[in-house]
Amino acid sequence: MRTTPLIRTVVPVLAGINEMPRATFIRWNLIGALAWGTLLPIAGHFLGEISFIRDHVDLIVLGIIAVSLVPVVLQFFAEKKSV
């Protein structure tokens, strides 16, 4: 996912600002990394066996990108309207 590097950069800063105990942060960070690193490839393997997904993966990715841009576009127009 394209936002993962941004999230993984910002979350430690926010955890520090909110004075999250280091052990708690490390525990949740490890759980998240293990879940992401194991579940995503497994999901990709099984989803890749579905012929519709395999045949239309390019359109599915473009759809995901389009849906993820909706909040940005809405925010842009909301700011433009308030000026």
Side-chain angles (χ1 to χ4, degrees), residues 10-26:
V10 173
V11 167
V13 174
L14 294 175
I17 289 171
N18 289 304
E19 299 178 359
M20 176 184 272
R22 186 176 302 217
T24 303
F25 173 76
I26 290 172

Side-chain angles (χ1 to χ4, degrees), residues 66-82:
V67 168
S68 68
L69 289 175
V70 169
V72 175
V73 172
L74 292 176
Q75 182 68 31
F76 173 78
F77 285 116
E79 288 178 4
K80 196 166 185 120
K81 188 176 183 179
S82 67

Side-chain angles (χ1 to χ4, degrees), residues 2 53 56-69:
R2 296 177 351 166
I53 293 175
H56 298 94
V57 69
D58 51 348
L59 295 176
I60 293 169
V61 169
L62 288 174
I64 291 169
I65 292 170
V67 168
S68 68
L69 289 175

Side-chain angles (χ1 to χ4, degrees), residues 27-40:
R27 179 175 54 248
W28 284 110
N29 198 25
L30 286 173
I31 291 169
L34 289 171
W36 184 261
T38 56
L39 295 177
L40 199 65

